[in-house]
Amino acid sequence: MSKYTMNSPTVQNVPWQDKPEDLKGAPIWRYDKNPIIGRNPTEKVARIFNSAVIPYEGAFIGVFRGEQVNGIPYIYLGRSKDAIHWNFDENKIPFQDESGKEFMPIYAYDPRLVKIEDTYYIIWCQDFYGAAIGMAKTTDFKTFTRIENPFLPFNRNAVLFPRKINGNFMMLSRPSDSGHTPFGDIFISESPDLTYWGKHRHVMGKNPEWWQSVKIGGGAAPIETSEGWLLFYHGVTGTCNGLVYSIGGAILDIDEPSKVKYRCENFLLTPQEWYEERGFVPNVCFPCATIHDSKSGKIAVYYGAADSYVGLAFTTLDEIIDYIKNNSAVRQEDTELGIR
Ligand code: BMA
């Protein structure tokens, strides 16, 4: 019998592997056949990582960050029956604007994919006189209509909530600067129509804990649970050899998600396997999506590894919530509404 519940659909074919015996204390465990996406997945793409997937028509669909052979990132569509083996479109996602005219961002990376009511939203990072948030919507994964950039530059890691809260769309983001930003907290903004955004609030900041002491950013779309919104995010530390990206976990208030209820002081997953430590950018675990089944409580976490691969890890709702609660070290500032 589960202690906690998820308010989301059942997904019977959620990818899954039981927890290995020798990992008793770990809150999340890796798929033993990781990485699930290797190098050169298509002729035009050298690496796929930092990508988001979702159940669709009894199978799975996803938006994938593909580093083209000219080095420029773009978003590609992929489909899968089991959410582990993926087939990718050869061509980039053909965005268009409201009038039907082709829209091709200069670059597009780190996509998230969120279903709200009957529409699927893709949110990514693109150029808008500097790194900023791009957005598009689709109902059939054939026509992708661009929505105007929600925020001013510089910003990254925008993640929509899977339902409106108090009548408004809610989006996490991480205001930043133009380069490899050496700072960053998670903020939330709301909108009645996905055009006008306001009521900006601070959700949580980088932290004295070393693994998230440089910056943090939203990861997967929050999961609605009986304890609040379960958020997997990334936390970054600096070393003499560069940045290290780990996966963290927090639980946000269900009606006022700028208030953090619990925030795990330990990382949930940090680079340790070859595909996380070795690649185009070493030492990166960058979560962008989950597939979760409300009936069994199974959660599959999708993360980019070393800016080169996609990794898959598993947990259960009860296990992850207990771990976050038992190891919570939320700071006063994070528990507040986040308005100054
Ligand atoms: C961040 C983003 C991510 C990337 C990470 C590590 O700034 O660009 O796409 O995974 O750096 O290189």
Side-chain angles (χ1 to χ4, degrees), residues 183-204:
F183 63 89
D185 292 354
I186 299 178
F187 289 79
I188 193 166
S189 309
E190 55 184 274
S191 171
D193 54 8
L194 295 174
T195 298
Y196 297 101
W197 290 89
K199 290 200 175 174
H200 312 291
R201 310 268 187 263
H202 183 266
V203 178
M204 57 188 192

Side-chain angles (χ1 to χ4, degrees), residues 52-126:
V53 300
I54 206 165
Y56 183 64
E57 294 184 339
F60 301 91
I61 202 157
V63 290
F64 293 83
R65 171 175 176 163
E67 223 76 349
Q68 300 173 86
V69 288
N70 65 4
I72 299 174
Y74 208 85
I75 313 174
Y76 294 80
L77 207 63
R79 292 170 194 273
S80 174
K81 288 206 168 74
D82 60 5
I84 293 174
H85 303 90
W86 291 88
N87 291 315
F88 303 105
D89 286 359
E90 287 287 319
N91 296 318
K92 305 167 184 177
I93 290 186
F95 295 112
Q96 58 181 49
D97 67 17
E98 293 282 353
S99 70
K101 201 168 133 250
E102 182 187 323
F103 166 70
M104 188 70 74
I106 298 172
Y107 58 76
Y109 63 76
D110 296 355
R112 309 318 203 266
L113 178 59
V114 183
K115 186 180 185 201
I116 306 176
E117 293 159 15
D118 293 326
T119 303
Y120 296 84
Y121 295 92
I122 308 171
I123 317 114
W124 67 91
C125 181
Q126 68 169 27

Side-chain angles (χ1 to χ4, degrees), residues 49-50 65 109-110 156 180 215 245 281 284 286 307:
F49 52 100
N50 302 4
R65 171 175 176 163
Y109 63 76
D110 296 355
R156 291 182 175 88
H180 294 289
K215 55 182 168 177
Y245 285 67
V281 180
V284 180
F286 195 93
D307 286 11

